[in-house]
């Protein structure tokens, strides 16, 4: 059985792209969220094996969401996504507890490499 993954991005087409890559590679997408607040709710609801989360989102950004999720579940596994030129935010998200990051625009190989590295 594939690992369960929650996708968090405020852009629906980005969620769709990631979902497509994951499903084609045998992963199970259990939920999607469009902001950090929804991500925290959905994490608590689904307890996924992995969260792939955008950094820049409305209502609650990815870094705050990582801190909240990790505060509730120290075993949470999170990979961050960011556009080019957000190095400071990437470092901050790793310090907050993220395991890896993927740079947008996504390359399928890099997404799968990051996912398989952190959850197999």
């Amino acid at each position: 059985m594939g690992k369960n993954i929650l996708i968090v991005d405020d852009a629906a087409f980005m969620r769709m792209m990631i979902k497509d890559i994951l499903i084609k590679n045998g992963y199970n997408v259990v939920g999607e969220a469009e902001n950090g607040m929804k991500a925290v709710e959905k994490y608590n609801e689904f307890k996924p094996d992995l969260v792939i989360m955008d950094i820049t989102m409305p209502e609650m950004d990815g870094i705050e969401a990582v801190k909240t999720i990790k505060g509730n579940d120290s075993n949470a596994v999170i990979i961050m996504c960011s556009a080019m030129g957000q190095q400071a935010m990437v470092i901050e998200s790793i310090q907050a507890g993220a395991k890896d990051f993927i740079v947008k625009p996504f390359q399928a190989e890099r997404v799968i490499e990051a996912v398989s590295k952190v959850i197999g």
Side-chain angles (χ1 to χ4, degrees), residues 18 54 89 91 97 114 120:
I18 300 171
D54 188 22
M89 289 176 133
I91 291 165

Side-chain angles (χ1 to χ4, degrees), residues 16-46:
M16 193 178 71
M17 279 175 59
I18 300 171
K19 186 176 185 174
D20 210 45
I21 293 167
L22 294 169
I23 290 170
K24 281 181 182 157
N25 286 275
Y27 293 99
N28 184 22
V29 175
V30 290
E32 297 181 31
E34 63 278 2
N35 62 53
M37 288 176 56
K38 289 263 192 303
V40 173
E41 285 172 23
K42 300 242 175 173
Y43 184 86
N44 292 332
E45 183 182 338
F46 296 116

Side-chain angles (χ1 to χ4, degrees), residues 4 10-11 26 28 32 38 43 53-54 57 59-60 67 78 82 84 87-89 93 96 98 107 112 114 118:
N4 293 330
D10 56 329
N28 184 22
E32 297 181 31
K38 289 263 192 303
Y43 184 86
M53 180 146 21
D54 188 22
M57 295 181 291
E59 292 189 52
M60 179 192 280
K67 289 177 182 170
I78 304 166
S82 73
M84 288 292 199
Q87 276 78 3
M89 289 176 133
S93 63
Q107 291 169 314
I112 296 307
V118 296

Side-chain angles (χ1 to χ4, degrees), residues 76-110:
V77 180
I78 304 166
I79 295 177
M80 302 305 286
C81 305
S82 73
M84 288 292 199
Q86 292 184 315
Q87 276 78 3
M89 289 176 133
V90 167
I91 291 165
E92 195 179 338
S93 63
I94 298 288
Q95 289 169 337
K99 295 271 190 245
D100 200 351
F101 70 94
I102 307 165
V103 177
K104 294 177 186 178
F106 299 114
Q107 291 169 314
E109 305 80 49
R110 174 67 188 115

